[in-house]
Amino acid sequence: MNYESWISYRYLSRRKGGFLSFLTFISIAGVALGVMALIVVTGVMTGFANNLREKIIGSSPHIAVEKETGIQNYGEVAGQLVQMEGVTGVSPYVQGNVFLDLEGNALGLVIRGIAPETEGRVTKVKEFLKEGDLAQLDEEGVFIGRELARYAGYSVGDEVTIIAPGSGIAGKGWKYRLTIRGIFDTGMVDFDMNLALVHIQKARTVFNLSEQKVSGLGVKLADPHMAKDVQKKIYDTLGYSFLVKTWIDVNRNLFDALFLEKWGLFIVLTMMVLVASFNIISTLIVTVMSKIHDIGILQSIGVPKQAIRSIFTKMGMYIGSTGTFVGLAGGFAVSYILKTYIKVPAEIYSIDHVPVEIQLFDIFAIVAAALVISFCASVYPASRAARLQPVEALRYE
């Protein structure tokens, strides 16, 4: 330890009560609270975002390969997709819009026809099914979401009527009676309210498609984050007559909003640390004023101005780094308590605890911001101390 660090440490450690000790405590507490709030909030935001991402990835394919008029002879296309590096599963689907007849009222619904034998390779539909089994989905059955079941009062075994618009006599649409074979819960209200799953053969009948034609092919990847790279490979292989959409493309607006919300809160809460830095400034100014005699003595024995500046800058950094360390410990402790002991309504969030996930990059950004602010807060008081002349410093002694 050089003499500048030693003097800084002595100035801080030898305070026994008094106004300067109180100011130092307030400065450390202010930085600690700001850092703790940043860690907890960014951890909760990241946890909820990742939880939502997992639900989206599980409820829909990582990549959807479609064509405007449908994919004819889809088996050949599926064979090409399966051979691509990174692809672990492919399943066909037929999708379109229908109306659900609710005792004379019509409710818009998205019908997705799936192949029960291959759908489990692409989505987590088996995990989402709370009642029923995927093997029970036949041409006369339907799976509906928990929100729709709650809204309409449906349960397994009930019959529902769907209307395919424009396909019947005089454009009135054909009606189809289906039996509810199961109820799924993805944890996303929109999916659970507006999506219904039927057998792919039934969907072909509803939307008047031939045996070898489907709306698209769902693709599952070994690593969902490689979706953009695989998307490019699919375009290179199949050509640009196909529409290839990744889970990132479909949900871009949602994830952009979550990203902006997270970093918006980061900026707002960083202001807490910035406000706490004013306590550091006031603490150092009072310290400089109380140590004028010491500064004069140091300068008179040849200590350079740069060393005087370094002494008080390091004092500010000691305060900031101590507050940051305490804030880190407090943030981790609060995050652990939230994740372990705090319960949330499972019927709303589909989880029974607060999903806190603390990422290394977030910790680095928080610590860097706190230390930079602490350093900037130390610059002015340290510069004032360095500018004192020995004669002026000793004038009042």
Side-chain angles (χ1 to χ4, degrees):
M1 179 185 293
N2 57 31
Y3 73 92
E4 299 151 355
S5 300
W6 181 79
I7 293 173
S8 296
Y9 176 75
R10 294 286 289 179
Y11 279 169
L12 287 173
S13 62
R14 294 190 66 182
R15 298 174 179 179
K16 298 179 180 179
F19 185 60
L20 281 177
S21 297
F22 177 73
L23 282 179
T24 303
F25 173 78
I26 292 298
S27 301
I28 293 174
V31 175
L33 286 174
V35 170
M36 183 174 68
L38 278 168
I39 290 175
V40 173
V41 170
T42 55
V44 171
M45 290 295 296
T46 301
F48 272 109
N50 289 344
N51 181 265
L52 179 60
R53 185 180 292 110
E54 288 300 316
K55 290 176 181 178
I56 290 174
I57 290 174
S59 58
S60 58
H62 297 161
I63 295 179
V65 180
E66 299 178 346
K67 211 168 186 179
E68 185 176 357
T69 57
I71 301 177
Q72 192 73 33
N73 299 320
Y74 66 91
E76 299 176 8
V77 179
Q80 292 178 287
L81 293 174
V82 169
Q83 295 176 5
M84 290 185 180
E85 183 181 357
V87 175
T88 60
V90 177
S91 183
Y93 64 87
V94 173
Q95 186 166 303
N97 296 312
V98 298
F99 292 109
L100 177 65
D101 187 1
L102 293 174
E103 299 179 355
N105 296 318
L107 177 68
L109 203 64
V110 176
I111 286 287
R112 180 185 295 171
I114 61 174
E117 61 275 9
T118 59
E119 184 66 19
R121 304 172 190 170
V122 176
T123 64
K124 297 180 180 179
V125 62
K126 291 181 180 179
E127 298 178 22
F128 292 144
L129 276 174
K130 302 304 178 184
E131 298 182 53
D133 187 85
L134 190 59
Q136 297 175 334
L137 185 62
D138 54 22
E139 292 190 36
E140 302 305 320
V142 61
F143 291 158
I144 64 172
R146 174 164 289 180
E147 288 299 319
L148 179 58
R150 183 183 295 116
Y151 174 78
Y154 289 141
S155 59
V156 174
D158 291 347
E159 288 192 347
V160 298
T161 301
I162 62 170
I163 305 171
S167 59
I169 300 173
K172 293 182 178 179
W174 292 111
K175 291 186 177 182
Y176 299 90
R177 298 284 291 178
L178 300 173
T179 302
I180 298 175
R181 305 293 189 198
I183 295 175
F184 59 84
D185 183 7
T186 65
M188 294 183 292
V189 176
D190 285 345
F191 270 70
D192 296 343
M193 182 67 187
N194 301 311
L195 178 67
L197 303 177
V198 299
H199 196 282
I200 192 169
Q201 288 297 111
K202 189 65 176 183
R204 285 195 180 102
T205 302
V206 172
F207 300 114
N208 195 26
L209 295 181
S210 63
E211 185 71 21
Q212 292 300 316
K213 197 171 187 179
V214 295
S215 301
L217 293 167
V219 179
K220 184 179 181 179
L221 307 178
D223 182 3
H225 299 287
M226 297 297 293
K228 284 295 183 183
D229 295 333
V230 178
Q231 181 187 43
K232 185 177 183 303
K233 292 179 184 178
I234 294 175
Y235 273 128
D236 292 340
T237 302
L238 301 181
Y240 286 86
S241 61
F242 288 84
L243 176 61
V244 183
K245 298 181 293 185
T246 69
W247 64 273
I248 300 173
D249 297 328
V250 174
N251 301 283
R252 183 178 301 279
N253 291 338
L254 174 61
F255 290 122
D256 285 348
L258 290 173
F259 177 83
L260 290 176
E261 185 176 357
K262 174 182 175 179
W263 289 103
L265 285 171
F266 178 88
I267 293 172
V268 170
L269 291 174
T270 302
M271 298 299 176
M272 291 179 61
V273 183
L274 188 61
V275 171
S277 70
F278 287 99
N279 292 327
I280 298 177
I281 295 173
S282 61
T283 300
L284 293 181
I285 289 176
V286 173
T287 303
V288 170
M289 297 303 295
S290 67
K291 301 298 181 182
I292 288 178
H293 178 255
D294 294 359
I295 295 169
I297 292 175
L298 289 171
Q299 290 180 334
S300 66
I301 63 175
V303 175
K305 293 182 179 296
Q306 181 60 37
I308 301 295
R309 181 182 293 108
S310 178
I311 289 171
F312 290 95
T313 300
K314 287 181 178 180
M315 284 186 64
M317 291 303 296
Y318 287 152
I319 294 173
S321 58
T322 302
T324 301
F325 175 78
V326 173
L328 281 173
F332 284 129
V334 173
S335 298
Y336 176 79
I337 292 171
L338 286 175
K339 188 174 183 178
T340 308
Y341 299 107
I342 304 302
K343 304 297 182 181
V344 296
E347 63 274 10
I348 298 177
Y349 300 103
S350 295
I351 48 176
D352 59 358
H353 63 279
V354 179
V356 183
E357 293 186 27
I358 300 175
Q359 297 182 335
L360 183 62
F361 176 79
D362 294 341
I363 295 298
F364 176 79
I366 291 168
V367 170
L371 293 180
V372 168
I373 291 173
S374 299
F375 173 79
C376 293
S378 307
V379 171
Y380 174 73
S383 298
R384 286 297 300 263
R387 286 201 299 268
L388 285 173
Q389 298 300 322
V391 175
E392 295 177 358
L394 298 172
R395 177 179 298 173
Y396 302 103
E397 296 298 323

